[in-house]
Every structure is written in structure tokens, then in C-alpha cells.
Amino acid sequence: MDRDASERRVVVGVDGSQSSYEALRWAVRYAGLVDGTVDAVAVWELPGLYGWSAPAVDMDVDEDEARLKMRQELTDVLGADTAGPVRTHLVHGNPTDVLLRAAEGAETLVVGSRGRGGFARALLGSVSQHVSQHASCPVVIVRSRKQ
């Protein structure tokens, strides 16, 4: 990701969950207050790819289509005017590793309290818990209004 040391970057993880949408809205509001920029990061990884018993999966992921879907999702959540200046990044890898790298030198990292997987009653998801303990910048964890 392009990094300018003088800009105040707000990095936000987006995974399609309600909680990540709330995190995205929070990140945009905060960036407006500090005159910063927003980097929305979506991470994809193929399940079982790193395990010894990986199932047969289609390795052809259409990244261009995924980027278009991500841009449309941001527009649906934020509206066209607000989503326009948000920089999008679709990255292959482990979500916690990717978010921690993306947040290096950032003003703050914003994540939802729980993503799409996991246990519905858990207070924090594994990604939000891990980045809160290991990020090199302040971390904001945003809960969904429906929780």
C-alpha cells in the first residue's frame, strides 16, 4: 500500500459483516475529524490452502471482479460521495497479518468486533482480538448496532 508519512491514514478492515460496516462508517467519520485518509482493506484467503489436507479448490480468483464488488459494497454502505475518496485494497493472505502490515505507520486501525465467522455470542472475534494486542498503532473496535 502506498504510504505517505505526512498523511494521517486510517486503516479499516472490511469483510462484509455488519460489524465491519459500522467500523467503516466510524473510520470515515474519524478521518474527517483529523483530516486523514481511509484505506479500506479486504482480505481473502483460500480455506485449507495451508493445511496438509487441503480440499481441492479453484485457485482462479477473479481479483478484478472482487475489487468491483468491494467498491460497490463501499458505495452501498457509505453512499457514492463518501465512498469515492476511500482507497480500497484487496489483499491475499491471513487477515490478521495483512491488517497488521497495513496499519504500520497509520493513525489508527479500525475493525469490527466480530466478522462473518465465529461464535455469535463472542464479544470479540479472533481477528479483532489479535490486532488489538499486536498493532503498532491505536486500535478501535466497533460493535454492530445489532449486537
Side-chain angles (χ1 to χ4, degrees):
M1 280 174 240
D2 298 331
R3 293 189 173 111
D4 178 358
S6 64
E7 75 179 352
R8 299 178 85 172
R9 278 184 324 111
V10 178
V11 176
V12 58
V14 180
D15 69 359
S17 68
Q18 203 54 44
S19 186
S20 78
Y21 294 157
E22 295 296 333
L24 177 62
R25 290 181 188 104
W26 192 97
V28 168
R29 284 191 306 270
Y30 179 75
L33 293 173
V34 299
D35 196 28
T37 60
V38 177
D39 286 331
V41 179
V43 183
W44 64 276
E45 71 179 333
L46 298 172
L49 183 61
Y50 304 108
W52 61 270
S53 62
V57 292
D58 182 4
M59 295 294 290
D60 295 326
V61 174
D62 188 339
E63 288 189 51
D64 291 333
E65 183 178 331
R67 280 186 178 82
L68 287 173
K69 285 183 180 179
M70 181 181 180
R71 177 51 64 187
Q72 183 59 52
E73 188 174 17
L74 294 183
T75 300
D76 291 347
V77 172
L78 299 172
D81 292 340
T82 305
V86 174
R87 296 182 298 210
T88 59
H89 306 276
L90 178 65
V91 183
H92 175 257
N94 175 281
T96 55
D97 294 340
V98 169
L99 288 172
L100 290 172
R101 276 194 317 272
E104 290 174 3
E107 172 86 10
T108 191
L109 170 61
V110 185
V111 293
S113 59
R114 280 192 335 227
R116 300 175 82 175
F119 301 98
R121 302 191 98 164
L123 181 61
L124 290 178
S126 60
V127 172
S128 58
Q129 185 171 16
H130 188 85
V131 299
S132 71
Q133 295 171 351
H134 299 284
S136 59
C137 65
V139 176
V140 175
I141 300 172
V142 180
R143 289 180 54 102
S144 171
R145 293 180 187 162
K146 293 182 180 181
Q147 292 178 350

